[in-house]
């Protein structure tokens, strides 16, 4: 084979590989997430008069089947008529969804994470004017062999009160895509396994008897919010940590 033809074939393979990388990167991004939704959200402690805080998550995300990486946008909004005062937003992962980073936010130490969660970040929102909002880019991984949930509490800056909490709300799919570069997941949907006879995708959803009920998890966090968000702390490795 001539060196010219060899170079042409090599160039084609490099181009093809680059295209695959571009496809995987795009499908795991937060670009095509559909409308935002406050599904699974509930007011907890009374907010100051004229303040109405809510959050929203995308209706859909895409998880790269090869790496499990995904991205989403978390938004907090003041839908009231006066400014919010100093607040913070927490972004917390549960089960198969692990939050790896939130732009502009600080990681919550392991010992301070909400009970049952695997990861979390705290975002110092500051004061939101009436009608204004602030969005955060979230990087995460999703284990498609498990259920995965996310939770967005909105608190006072010191965490003493929780005005609003979205979740823990699941992302999942009833239509797995084992042969595609990525699997689309919908907000508020429990995962389902691939149909029998097809290429096997890891079972996306534990049996009901093994799964943590969403209502129980949500109630636990809401109860913690009503009590001043006194998270159950895990044992620390050394005195003074946290």
């Amino acid at each position: 084979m001539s060196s010219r033809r060899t170079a042409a074939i090599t160039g084609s393979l490099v181009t093809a590989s680059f295209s695959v990388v571009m496809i995987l990167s795009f499908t795991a991004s937060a670009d095509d997430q559909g409308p935002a939704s406050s599904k699974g959200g509930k007011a907890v402690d009374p907010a100051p008069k004229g303040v109405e805080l809510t959050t929203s998550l995308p209706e859909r995300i895409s998880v790269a089947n090869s790496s499990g990486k995904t991205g989403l946008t978390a938004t907090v909004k003041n839908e009231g008529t006066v400014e919010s005062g100093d607040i913070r937003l927490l972004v917390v992962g549960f089960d198969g969804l692990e939050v790896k980073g939130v732009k502009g936010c600080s990681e919550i130490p392991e010992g301070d994470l909400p009970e049952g969660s695997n990861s979390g970040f705290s975002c110092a929102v500051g004061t939101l004017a009436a009608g204004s909002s602030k969005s955060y880019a979230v990087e995460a991984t999703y284990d498609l062999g498990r259920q995965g949930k996310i939770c967005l509490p909105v608190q006072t800056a010191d965490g003493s009160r929780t005005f609003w909490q979205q979740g823990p709300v699941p992302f999942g799919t009833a239509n797995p895509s084992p042969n595609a570069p990525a699997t689309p997941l919908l907000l508020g949907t429990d995962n389902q396994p691939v149909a029998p006879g097809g290429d096997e995708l890891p079972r996306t959803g534990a049996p009901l008897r093994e799964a943590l009920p969403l209502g129980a998890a949500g109630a636990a966090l809401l109860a913690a919010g009503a009590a001043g968000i006194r998270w159950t702390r895990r044992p620390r490795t050394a005195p003074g940590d946290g």
Side-chain angles (χ1 to χ4, degrees), residues 3-236:
S3 59
R4 179 177 300 177
R5 184 173 181 185
T6 301
I9 292 173
T10 302
S12 299
L13 290 174
V14 170
T15 301
S17 299
F18 179 75
S19 299
V20 171
V21 170
M22 289 297 290
I23 289 172
L24 289 175
S25 298
F26 176 78
T27 53
S29 74
D31 293 336
D32 182 22
Q33 300 187 332
S37 171
S38 60
K39 181 179 294 183
K42 182 178 181 180
V44 186
D45 294 323
K49 186 176 181 179
V51 176
E52 186 179 347
L53 295 166
T54 62
T55 58
S56 61
L57 290 162
E59 283 281 3
R60 62 177 181 267
I61 61 175
S62 293
V63 177
N65 287 336
S66 60
S67 65
K69 291 182 179 180
T70 187
L72 56 90
T73 300
T75 301
V76 56
K77 184 176 182 179
N78 179 10
E79 298 181 339
T81 57
V82 300
E83 66 180 20
S84 66
D86 198 8
I87 60 172
R88 71 180 184 183
L89 171 72
L90 303 185
V91 182
V92 184
F94 289 81
D95 304 326
L97 191 156
E98 184 173 354
V99 180
K100 294 295 188 179
V102 183
K103 190 172 182 180
C105 304
S106 302
E107 186 171 7
I108 300 173
E110 183 178 354
D112 293 334
L113 286 171
E115 185 70 18
S117 67
N118 57 43
S119 55
F121 284 75
S122 177
C123 307
V125 178
T127 297
L128 279 180
S132 65
S133 63
K134 192 168 184 180
S135 296
Y136 295 88
V138 179
E139 295 179 356
T141 57
Y142 196 108
D143 179 356
L144 291 170
R146 304 168 61 193
Q147 293 182 333
K149 305 180 186 74
I150 191 168
C151 186
L152 303 181
V154 182
Q155 306 177 336
T156 53
D158 63 3
S160 61
R161 287 182 292 166
T162 297
F163 299 126
W164 169 269
Q165 182 170 298
Q166 185 175 7
V169 62
F171 275 101
T173 179
N175 186 27
S177 306
N179 297 317
T183 295
L185 304 181
L186 298 178
L187 182 67
T189 302
D190 288 326
N191 292 329
Q192 299 295 329
V194 69
D199 292 339
E200 286 299 322
L201 184 73
R203 182 176 178 85
T204 53
L208 184 61
R209 64 182 180 273
E210 298 175 4
L212 175 67
L214 176 61
L221 278 181
L222 289 172
I229 303 304
R230 292 189 289 271
W231 300 125
T232 301
R233 293 173 178 265
R234 297 172 181 168
R236 301 182 184 279

